[in-house]
Amino acid sequence: MSEILHLVAACAGGLLLGAMFFGGLWWTLRRALASERAALWFLGSLLLRTSVTLSGFYLLARGDWKRLLACLLGFVIARFLVTSLTGASAGHQNPQANQANEAVHASQS
């Protein structure tokens, strides 16, 4: 029974890590696109998000492959949750992209 609780805790930890990673990515994209130093935002965010996520995976797994797999499962679930909550899917585009597409189609007509 204790093993199942450890796996559930690892999955919950992976969910939190994934929410932080993908939520941080979404936040970075919004900030960087409005900034003059977008590359600095992207690089800093990547380093911070990756180091926190890898450290969290290391601490949650504690050398057990089953815990690592449960953590990864929570991380992937968080990706889908953040994607659906932010409305960032492959079919959605920002208004500037829509305007650019309309301009291209108008010039081809």
Side-chain angles (χ1 to χ4, degrees), residues 29-79:
L29 285 171
R30 294 178 52 88
R31 296 285 295 197
L33 292 176
S35 174
E36 293 181 10
R37 296 182 178 176
L40 187 60
W41 275 101
F42 287 124
L43 181 62
S45 173
L46 175 67
L47 292 175
L48 180 65
R49 288 181 295 112
T50 303
S51 62
V52 169
T53 302
L54 289 177
S55 299
F57 269 60
Y58 178 76
L59 292 173
L60 288 170
R62 298 182 187 239
D64 184 15
W65 68 270
K66 291 180 254 182
R67 289 183 192 173
L68 182 62
L69 196 60
C71 192
L72 181 62
L73 175 66
F75 189 81
V76 170
I77 291 170
R79 182 218 181 258

